[in-house]
Amino acid sequence: MDPDTQTLTRAESGRRRSRSSATTRSATAPTVKRLDLQGLRALAVGLVILNHAFEWPAGGFVGVDIFFVISGFLMTSLLYREYERSGTIRFSAFYRRRIRRLIPASATVIAVTIAGAFALFGPGRFLSTVWDGVAALFFVSNWRFAAVQTDYFAQGAQTSPLQHYWSLSLEEQYYLVWPIAVLVLGLLVAGRHRPRVLAAALCLVVTAGLFLVALQLTEADSATAYFITPARLWELSIGSTVALCMPLFDRLPSMWRPSIMLLSLAGMITAAVITPSGAGFPAPWALVAVISTAVFIAFPWQPRRAWLNPLANPVVSHVGDISYSLYLWHFPALILIAEAFRGLPGEKTAIPAVVSIVIAFGLSEVSYRYVEETVRKSAWLEPRRKRRMAGRSRAKPLIVLAASAVTAAALALAFIADDRATDREPSAAATAPSQTADVLDPGADRPALDSLSAELATALTAKSWPELSPSMDSAVAGYERDDATIACSNQVFPGLGSCTWGAADAPHSVAIVGDSISVGYVAMLRALADGSNGQLTVSTLGMYACPFVDFETTNGEASFKRACPGRKGQAIDNIAELKPDVVIVSNTYIPLNKTSDGAPFTPDEYAAGLRPFLERITPNTGKVLLLAPPPAEKDVRECYSPRTGPNACITTVPSRWKAMGKAEAALAAEFGGAWIDSRHLFCVKSKCPAFASGMPIKFDHIHHTEEYSRHIAAGFVALVAQQGIGLAGAQEDGEHE
């Protein structure tokens, strides 16, 4: 994305024969503008914009990888050329150029975006955007998004309008250390035979090592690897290797260059079509785009008739000129315009995307001319002598930058003054002792269920969003469960001692197993244990992204897939050790794909996969309860907006949910257990609101909040009692060993 360096020496453009370093230092080679690189920038930003706006081409996100290769090539060309010429690198001059190039336009977009977020977003999402802006301003966005476990490929209505700054942050981290690396590289090869070739060989070795690191990081967690610097450095390093090898590439006869250019261009287009999201990206799948870009740069074609080169014409070149500003503006425009269209007739059409692209181009033209280029040509940050020569008029860019920073700070302070600190306080309904006291009493069935039904019915009639605790903004912005629950539900199980709650000498026990749906019910069961007067212990044995069935699914990251079979076996062993009165199994009903054939599992396949596990755990428990998940349809991250009513987030019970419930009910009867219909806890007459009793019910399309999980504890006991089962007396129908 870095707009710097539109001109290169003829050596870097592929037109200079190899020379000794001594000769090179004595004179500065003439420069020539590479229009094809500007065209390549235009192609890259175009792919990114189309992918973000229309999700087409599906792999258009590789435009960022194209930018990385270009940046590595240009920076190394500049730095190594300076070293060859002078024997050193002027670090202060390099960083001054970087700041003048990047920060003014970047800060301007951040300030405008925060202003737009203040006008359109709720307080929780606005505050998150402010923090994203701070991270972007200090070039650590990529680490922030990795830390909060952002899924780049799960874009939606709650996506940060500054999420695209991750790539700029990564590049600036590269620029921070790469000048030092180039100087060290130059000193290592100084005085040796063909030093530039040796430097290129060393850079290639480093690139290979960085690629192996990227492979390991991608395999471990592709969502995190997408953002973090170590998983992306190999792409910039490939560009650096090409820069050092340019004198060798120059030897290729010109007759081959047009064909190579067209083939490499075809490779980039192909990468934009076939590169998959998620697993395998950025390594190894980014190789297709990265190698194609490297070849394009390495063998430039400068035809006498420029129109023969599809990327070397004035129109495309101008898009390349403004590509930095265009990249900065396009994503905030897309997110903010989509929010502005909420509830309007054209919301679900392509109109918001088209409008955002038009606005982004207009803003890019303005910021390129009056911010980016004005600051670049100014004497800002230059030594005092140069500033005096430039004149006072050149101080205007600094005013622009200061105004941007002040705007962002003022908006942040305005939000803080609004004092929304109570948004994350637990609701009274969620923590009141009456919700959990004596919840093991089977006679408390109808009153508890009637109360829940009344609360849900009231929520279904709401015309506007009430004050909730926690706020809906905080729920959709990145909801997190209790730390202890999270620890028990990850790849490595900390042990029964850490994942069991209640009195150690309690006469009765419950264990729950399953995927993330079971994790959602843990808060409910812990509330039961806390309210049981020492009569009940609860153990959680489930794991995120790991359905308790005897087949593997493609759900989750690679590390979770590897851990899942072992965790399921460990849960069965734990049940055999605990011999609990009741085992609750709760899995997702959404159609996850089977690893064996990649097809979604059917209700019959699900029942067939669950049966062997029930056969293994039934001898070691009094009763097995199959607890249905909340019906999944509307995703509150997509449908929620403070500018629209809660009707947009009402879920109806899908037909698949009913089919899966029917299969589980039959299977439960087969093993003498019971199926618990969760609709009574979340819905009224097949309609399920997004909130009830002053709290959000879900924080995405399927997972419910801990606050609501605790709130439904008494209702859950009532449902179990309707099946003739008391949680404190599950062994009454027969003892187990």
Side-chain angles (χ1 to χ4, degrees):
M1 276 63 69
D2 184 358
D4 200 12
T5 315
Q6 297 180 10
T7 58
L8 295 171
T9 64
R10 291 185 181 274
E12 276 76 37
S13 66
R15 289 182 170 158
R16 186 186 69 179
R17 300 298 180 185
S18 179
R19 302 171 182 170
S20 68
S21 61
T23 303
T24 307
R25 291 177 189 176
S26 64
T28 301
T31 60
V32 59
K33 187 172 183 177
R34 282 194 61 171
L35 291 179
D36 60 334
L37 288 188
Q38 293 305 93
L40 191 57
R41 281 195 178 106
L43 172 66
V45 76
L47 290 174
V48 172
I49 291 174
L50 289 174
N51 176 260
H52 285 162
F54 306 109
E55 298 184 358
W56 179 93
F61 50 84
V62 299
V64 173
D65 304 274
I66 295 173
F67 273 125
F68 285 157
V69 181
I70 297 173
S71 295
F73 170 75
L74 292 176
M75 287 303 100
T76 304
S77 298
L78 277 174
L79 293 167
Y80 199 80
R81 185 180 69 202
E82 181 180 357
Y83 172 76
E84 286 183 319
R85 184 175 62 247
S86 63
T88 188
I89 292 174
R90 295 176 301 160
F91 295 109
S92 61
F94 174 82
Y95 292 124
R96 285 198 302 270
R97 292 195 302 268
R98 299 275 61 72
I99 293 173
R100 282 203 305 271
R101 282 286 193 181
L102 301 172
I103 290 185
S106 174
T108 300
V109 174
I110 290 171
V112 173
T113 301
I114 290 175
F118 182 76
L120 295 172
F121 295 166
R125 193 179 178 193
F126 167 71
L127 182 59
S128 178
T129 303
V130 170
W131 283 116
D132 292 341
V134 172
L137 198 61
F138 290 96
F139 303 117
V140 291
S141 283
N142 59 324
W143 291 104
R144 168 169 166 78
F145 291 125
V148 299
Q149 298 181 323
T150 301
D151 185 351
Y152 176 86
F153 301 108
Q155 309 242 343
Q158 298 299 320
T159 299
S160 169
L162 296 173
Q163 182 173 297
H164 64 314
Y165 269 76
W166 75 268
S167 59
L168 301 174
S169 296
L170 192 150
E171 281 192 0
E172 290 316 297
Q173 293 159 25
Y174 164 78
Y175 293 152
L176 186 65
V177 300
W178 192 241
I180 301 172
V182 171
L183 180 59
V184 171
L185 189 64
L187 294 174
L188 285 174
V189 301
R192 301 180 184 274
H193 178 63
R194 305 183 73 180
R196 192 172 182 119
V197 174
L198 182 57
L202 291 174
C203 193
L204 184 61
V205 171
V206 171
T207 301
L210 291 172
F211 180 70
L212 292 178
V213 170
L215 282 173
Q216 294 177 344
L217 292 172
T218 304
E219 175 67 18
D221 187 346
S222 63
T224 300
Y226 189 94
F227 293 108
I228 60 176
T229 309
R232 294 289 193 156
L233 282 178
W234 66 277
E235 301 178 33
L236 293 129
S237 188
I238 281 183
S240 301
T241 305
V242 171
L244 295 170
C245 290
M246 287 306 293
L248 297 176
F249 295 147
D250 179 49
R251 299 176 181 178
L252 185 76
S254 59
M255 63 178 293
W256 296 105
R257 293 179 180 272
S259 299
I260 291 177
M261 190 279 292
L262 292 174
L263 285 174
S264 61
L265 183 58
M268 286 180 268
I269 300 298
T270 301
V273 174
I274 68 170
T275 302
S277 60
F281 192 88
W285 268 104
L287 268 175
V288 181
V290 168
I291 295 300
S292 299
T293 306
V295 172
F296 182 96
I297 297 173
F299 302 104
W301 174 39
Q302 300 287 347
R304 293 181 179 178
R305 296 181 178 87
W307 57 268
L308 293 175
N309 189 331
L311 294 186
N313 63 76
V315 175
V316 176
S317 180
H318 179 68
V319 176
D321 290 342
I322 67 170
S323 60
Y324 177 60
S325 287
L326 187 55
Y327 182 83
L328 289 176
W329 283 112
H330 87 279
F331 203 66
L334 182 65
I335 299 300
L336 295 175
I337 293 299
E339 185 65 29
F341 267 81
R342 280 291 188 95
L344 298 179
E347 177 187 1
K348 301 298 184 181
T349 69
I351 293 176
V354 173
V355 170
S356 70
I357 292 174
V358 172
I359 291 176
F361 266 95
L363 292 172
S364 299
E365 292 285 356
V366 173
S367 64
Y368 172 71
R369 175 173 297 186
Y370 296 107
V371 179
E372 189 179 334
E373 282 294 281
T374 302
V375 177
R376 185 181 69 85
K377 295 174 181 178
S378 74
W380 180 44
L381 298 179
E382 290 293 342
R384 184 176 301 175
R385 179 179 58 84
K386 288 189 176 182
R387 291 202 303 271
R388 284 200 302 265
M389 293 174 60
R392 293 185 179 181
S393 63
R394 296 303 189 187
K396 290 181 179 179
L398 184 56
I399 298 174
V400 174
L401 177 60
S404 301
V406 169
T407 301
L411 288 170
L413 289 173
F415 172 79
I416 294 171
D418 196 29
D419 192 10
R420 304 297 180 112
T422 58
D423 279 349
R424 290 182 179 270
E425 291 296 320
S427 66
T431 57
S434 61
Q435 291 295 329
T436 57
D438 297 324
V439 291
L440 298 182
D441 178 12
D445 52 356
R446 286 317 319 168
L449 291 177
D450 289 344
S451 177
L452 278 177
S453 295
E455 294 167 357
L456 293 166
T458 299
L460 287 171
T461 63
K463 302 301 181 185
S464 60
W465 292 99
E467 288 292 327
L468 302 176
S469 182
S471 69
M472 187 63 79
D473 289 281
S474 63
V476 301
Y479 187 87
E480 291 189 4
R481 294 189 173 105
D482 175 80
D483 289 341
T485 301
I486 294 173
C488 293
S489 309
N490 275 317
Q491 300 98 315
V492 178
F493 187 62
L496 285 173
S498 300
C499 300
T500 298
W501 292 273
D505 58 350
H508 303 290
S509 59
V510 172
I512 185 167
V513 67
D515 55 18
S516 59
I517 299 301
S518 73
V519 179
Y521 285 119
V522 169
M524 175 187 75
L525 295 175
R526 289 177 64 178
L528 294 180
D530 292 341
S532 69
N533 297 320
Q535 296 298 301
L536 181 69
T537 61
V538 170
S539 300
T540 176
L541 309 175
M543 174 182 153
Y544 293 119
C546 185
F548 192 66
V549 288
D550 196 18
F551 57 79
E552 295 183 26
T553 67
T554 58
N555 186 31
E557 290 294 333
S559 58
F560 282 86
K561 294 176 189 174
R562 288 193 299 268
C564 184
R567 281 297 308 272
K568 288 187 284 192
Q570 188 176 26
I572 294 173
D573 293 340
N574 290 148
I575 291 170
E577 177 184 347
L578 288 170
K579 292 183 170 51
D581 300 310
V582 174
V583 171
I584 300 171
V585 179
S586 191
N587 291 319
T588 183
Y589 282 1
I590 62 175
L592 300 176
N593 293 337
K594 305 185 300 297
T595 303
S596 57
D597 59 9
F601 63 74
T602 65
D604 288 342
E605 288 173 330
Y606 170 79
L610 181 55
R611 181 177 286 104
F613 282 179
L614 295 184
E615 290 173 348
R616 295 176 64 181
I617 67 175
T618 302
N620 294 308
T621 184
K623 286 288 183 182
V624 172
L625 302 181
L626 303 186
L627 175 56
E633 185 190 39
K634 295 290 182 67
D635 189 335
V636 291
R637 297 171 301 180
E638 303 291 331
C639 62
Y640 167 72
S641 170
R643 302 175 61 249
T644 59
N647 284 345
C649 288
I650 293 177
T651 285
T652 57
V653 181
S655 58
R656 179 181 172 88
W657 190 98
K658 298 174 183 177
M660 290 288 291
K662 184 178 180 180
E664 277 200 336
L667 194 61
E670 181 180 331
F671 286 88
W675 175 69
I676 307 301
D677 187 345
S678 66
R679 286 176 292 187
H680 302 289
L681 305 175
F682 299 96
C683 313
V684 175
K685 296 181 179 179
S686 294
K687 288 188 176 181
C688 318
F691 70 92
S693 191
M695 66 192 79
I697 292 179
K698 290 193 242 181
F699 57 87
D700 55 18
H701 69 298
I702 189 170
H703 300 105
H704 55 290
T705 65
E706 289 193 332
E707 290 78 11
Y708 192 73
S709 185
R710 288 190 288 269
H711 184 67
I712 60 176
F716 169 72
V717 173
L719 289 177
V720 174
Q722 288 181 351
Q723 300 290 333
I725 302 169
L727 287 182
Q731 291 181 295
E732 293 174 0
D733 294 332
E735 294 292 328
H736 63 273
E737 296 180 0

